[in-house]
């Protein structure tokens, strides 16, 4: 049987994952699921584990659910490790969103100053997990769901020798599903190629019945978004000229003024996204406590992570069964030993989010070619931000953190960068021992 370890097991998303493993038990027999958390998350961990046990019992599946606060105990002999932790919890996210906004710039979980600080809190923890894995379960794969996925992946690839890591986001699978719905087809009937960066990914090509229908889908794409981002409608002429489908997160860059204005309104009402999420989470945990509940509740759909379990469980299933199918993940831009690149715009050792072939040896990107000239400036800027942000996370050098902020397109001001840097360093000092 398969042993899975989920770090950050007290997350409200865990029931999604359990549902995914239950559905796939025939091909992916998960015998042990270890949910790992820290003392601060113990109450959530116990509630989630209770629900998980009721779910597997109802499904009649022999999957043991273990909980522990001792990560090393759990990692011993694991086959797959998933990370869905949030260093500093939602209260840290509230600061990431509120402090930048209070100085007139966008603060967001994975973008701008908020994204940098989430990255700097998270990368050292993920590096420690990789070290533990090398020692305790060297054959295991790490499926990293912890944001900011692009910066975290750069941190591991650039600053460690650990290579059994794959970064995962639910945005591409959500786009694939949305495209299928728009075309009145099942997902399996629609072939979509993705290329770009995490939270900056593009659908570059859509094929149905052997016919390239990308242009047709672009015409229908204008109002598609995810739960956590308001769907201000894209200008159809812009999308047509662009020639590829942007993801929801691109709106922060192409409509910065609009999203800043919206966020400022929310700030007045005391409702930055993290505060809204906190309310949903409190309600969710009340529901999870119900001893009669044996399935994932509908309210979880209010969270941005829809289809997360489908993405994570399919990925694990394909590695375990050596399927060789195509899934969208974050990995290096490297196709083979000739230093052949998947996306021409990036260096061969840079992390991309792209359609990849998944086998027992992990993920290898398919050949995407060149992303349009029109997006090249922005994607290079964000790639630089990810790399310099990950350097700062490792070095704890304040100058490097300032550099990351200064080159981020959402920061826009030297004066603001300096103020926001000082305030966030102070606000998060308990979780930034490297500074
Ligand atoms: P959450 O606030 O519920 O945190 C999950 C758990 O992590 C908590 O129970 C917390 O106690 C625990 N934790 C904190 N520090 C830890 C540590 N050092 N070791 C082990 N556990 C620790 O978070 P959430 O809203 O459920 O999200 C979890 C993570 O998944 C976040 O990083 C979020 O950004 C990410 N996420 C990613 C995607 C994606 O597309 N990749 C989608 C949704 C969420
Ligand atoms: C999307 C992204 C995730 C992000 C989430 C936020 O699904 O892919 O990376 O964490 O939204 O959702 P939330 O409900 O926490 O705001
Ligand atoms: Mn994501």
């Amino acid at each position: 049987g398969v042993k899975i370890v989920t770090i950050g097991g007290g997350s409200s998303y865990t029931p999604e994952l359990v549902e995914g493993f239950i559905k796939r038990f025939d091909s992916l027999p998960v015998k042990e699921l270890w949910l790992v958390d820290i003392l601060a998350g113990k109450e959530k961990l116990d509630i989630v584990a209770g629900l998980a046990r009721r779910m597997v019992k109802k499904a009649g599946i022999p999957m043991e659910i273990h909980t522990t606060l001792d990560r090393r105990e759990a990692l011993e002999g694991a086959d797959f490790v998933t990370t869905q932790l949030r260093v500093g919890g939602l209260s840290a996210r509230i600061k990431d969103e509120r402090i930048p906004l209070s100085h007139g710039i966008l603060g967001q979980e994975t973008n701008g100053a908020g994204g940098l600080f989430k990255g700097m809190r998270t990368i050292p923890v993920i590096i420690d997990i990789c070290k533990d894995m090398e020692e305790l379960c060297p054959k295991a794969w790490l499926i990293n769901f912890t944001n900011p996925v692009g910066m975290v992946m750069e941190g591991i690839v650039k600053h460690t020798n650990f290579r059994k890591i794959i970064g995962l986001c639910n945005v591409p699978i959500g786009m694939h599903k949305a495209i299928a719905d728009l075309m009145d087809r099942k997902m399996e009937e629609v072939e979509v190629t993705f290329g770009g960066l995490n939270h900056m990914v593009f659908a570059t090509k859509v094929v149905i019945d052997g016919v390239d229908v990308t242009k047709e889908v672009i015409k229908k794409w204008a109002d598609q978004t995810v739960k956590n981002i308001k769907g201000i409608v894209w200008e159809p002429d812009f999308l047509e000229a662009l020639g590829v489908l942007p993801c929801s997160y691109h709106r922060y860059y192409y409509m910065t003024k609009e999203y800043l204005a919206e966020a400022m309104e929310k700030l007045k009402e005391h409702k930055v996204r993290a505060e809204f999420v906190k309310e949903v989470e409190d309600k969710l945990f009340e529901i999870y406590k119900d001893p009669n509940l044996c399935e994932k509740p509908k309210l979880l759909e209010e969270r941005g992570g829809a289809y997360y379990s489908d993405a994570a469980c399919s990925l694990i299933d394909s590695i375990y069964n050596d399927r060789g199918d195509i899934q969208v993940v974050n990995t290096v831009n490297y196709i083979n030993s000739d230093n052949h690149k998947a996306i021409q715009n990036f260096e061969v050792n840079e992390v991309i989010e792209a359609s990849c072939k998944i086998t027992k040896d992990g993920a290898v990107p398919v050949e995407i070619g060149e992303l349009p000239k029109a997006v090249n400036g922005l994607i290079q800027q964000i790639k630089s931000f990810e790399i310099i942000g990950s350097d700062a996370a490792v070095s704890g050098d304040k100058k490097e953190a300032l550099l990351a902020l200064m080159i981020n397109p959402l920061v826009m001001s030297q004066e603001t960068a300096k103020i926001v840097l000082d305030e966030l360093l102070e606000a998060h000092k308990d979780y930034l021992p490297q500074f």
Side-chain angles (χ1 to χ4, degrees):
V2 178
K3 176 176 179 179
I4 310 251
V5 177
T6 296
I7 304 179
S11 162
S12 59
Y13 287 117
T14 297
E16 279 241 6
L17 204 57
V18 174
E19 184 189 79
F21 290 136
I22 290 173
K23 267 200 278 186
R24 289 171 181 78
F25 193 80
D26 285 344
S27 63
L28 179 69
V30 177
K31 282 309 230 332
E32 288 177 52
L33 173 61
W34 285 72
L35 304 176
V36 181
D37 215 286
I38 52 172
L39 192 55
K42 180 155 193 320
E43 202 190 327
K44 281 169 65 185
L45 179 67
D46 289 338
I47 295 170
V48 166
L51 172 57
R53 291 191 183 106
R54 294 193 298 279
M55 288 172 75
V56 296
K57 190 169 172 209
K58 186 184 174 195
I61 278 170
M63 187 193 305
E64 294 167 18
I65 310 285
H66 299 265
T67 62
T68 179
L69 304 185
D70 181 351
R71 177 171 88 206
R72 291 178 57 88
E73 177 199 14
L75 287 176
E76 187 89 56
D79 297 298
F80 293 93
V81 179
T82 70
T83 40
Q84 50 175 39
L85 52 100
R86 186 187 293 285
V87 180
L90 272 179
S91 42
R93 176 168 169 192
I94 293 174
K95 294 172 188 166
D96 283 343
E97 295 182 355
R98 284 194 149 257
I99 291 174
L101 265 182
S102 72
H103 296 287
I105 59 172
L106 267 171
Q108 213 273 328
E109 186 190 20
T110 63
N111 294 268
L116 172 65
F117 273 78
K118 191 176 195 312
M120 296 197 302
R121 294 194 300 277
T122 305
I123 288 170
V125 176
I126 304 289
I127 289 180
D128 281 347
I129 292 172
C130 295
K131 283 185 193 145
D132 283 350
M133 286 179 64
E134 278 173 332
E135 189 188 329
L136 300 164
C137 50
K139 289 194 178 140
W141 282 95
L142 174 56
I143 313 297
N144 179 61
F145 195 65
T146 302
N147 276 319
V149 167
M151 192 185 290
V152 169
M153 289 295 294
E154 285 294 346
I156 300 303
V157 168
K158 218 180 141 203
H159 297 281
T160 77
N161 294 319
F162 190 86
R163 290 296 173 270
K164 298 200 82 171
I165 183 168
I166 299 178
L168 192 61
C169 175
N170 64 322
V171 162
I173 197 174
M175 287 173 74
H176 191 160
K177 205 174 154 37
I179 293 167
D181 287 350
L182 286 174
M183 300 303 282
D184 258 320
R185 293 292 191 119
K186 292 190 191 130
M187 254 175 104
E188 316 81 82
E189 296 170 351
V190 182
E191 198 186 304
V192 187
T193 305
F194 288 91
L197 302 177
N198 179 239
H199 290 186
M200 189 159 275
V201 74
F202 298 90
T204 57
K205 195 173 175 190
V206 184
V207 175
I208 298 178
D209 299 335
V211 180
D212 185 336
V213 293
T214 317
K215 288 205 168 77
E216 208 182 319
V217 179
I218 288 175
K219 288 207 178 85
K220 302 178 182 214
W221 192 242
D223 63 354
Q224 296 298 309
T225 190
V226 288
K227 269 279 178 197
N228 55 308
I229 303 174
K230 184 178 162 187
I232 298 177
V233 177
W234 288 106
E235 174 57 42
D237 287 350
F238 167 62
L239 292 192
E240 204 183 315
L242 190 63
V244 290
L245 280 77
C247 76
S248 310
Y249 282 84
H250 279 108
R251 289 187 168 89
Y252 289 123
Y253 298 91
Y254 291 112
M255 306 183 203
T256 310
K257 274 192 176 176
E258 290 90 324
Y259 280 87
L260 191 53
E262 195 225 351
M264 294 302 253
E265 281 307 307
K266 294 266 171 65
L267 183 67
K268 277 191 224 149
E269 299 160 21
H270 264 276
K271 273 282 179 65
V272 293
R273 176 72 189 171
E275 287 159 320
F276 171 79
V277 165
K278 183 136 195 11
E279 283 176 13
V280 173
E281 196 177 84
D282 290 346
K283 283 185 209 149
L284 271 174
F285 277 91
E286 278 311 308
I287 298 174
Y288 287 1
K289 277 184 198 162
D290 176 357
N292 297 313
L293 182 77
C294 304
E295 61 190 15
K296 162 189 102 177
K298 182 110 181 109
L299 184 64
L300 190 53
E301 288 169 19
E302 289 302 310
R303 295 295 305 277
Y307 320 117
Y308 150 48
S309 74
D310 273 332
C313 299
S314 303
L315 177 59
I316 294 173
D317 177 88
S318 287
I319 297 172
Y320 180 72
N321 291 300
D322 195 23
R323 289 200 195 278
D325 60 339
I326 304 293
Q327 298 188 29
V328 186
V329 299
N330 288 257
T331 189
V332 282
N333 186 25
Y334 167 96
I335 295 189
N336 60 31
S337 51
D338 302 331
N339 271 4
H340 200 97
K341 301 196 282 186
I343 302 180
Q344 290 309 316
N345 311 62
F346 298 109
E347 301 295 334
V348 74
N349 57 351
E350 289 175 346
V351 173
I352 57 169
E353 183 167 281
S355 301
C356 292
K357 186 174 174 182
I358 313 293
T359 68
K360 63 177 179 5
D361 301 317
V364 177
V366 305
E367 188 146 8
I368 314 279
E370 183 135 25
L371 294 173
K373 193 74 185 164
V375 304
N376 192 50
L378 180 59
I379 60 180
Q380 296 298 342
Q381 192 82 3
I382 295 303
K383 175 47 72 189
S384 306
F385 171 69
E386 288 177 351
I387 291 174
I388 290 161
S390 72
D391 289 347
V394 172
S395 68
D397 181 344
K398 197 175 156 184
K399 284 195 222 78
E400 238 160 11
L402 179 65
L403 183 62
L405 281 181
M406 288 295 290
I407 64 171
N408 189 286
L410 301 181
V411 175
M412 304 179 290
S413 148
Q414 172 176 280
E415 196 191 340
T416 309
K418 280 164 62 190
I419 296 171
V420 165
L421 176 63
D422 283 338
E423 282 190 25
L424 283 169
L425 280 173
E426 176 62 24
H428 293 306
K429 63 172 185 286
D430 292 349
Y431 300 103
L432 294 171
Q434 71 273 45
F435 279 90

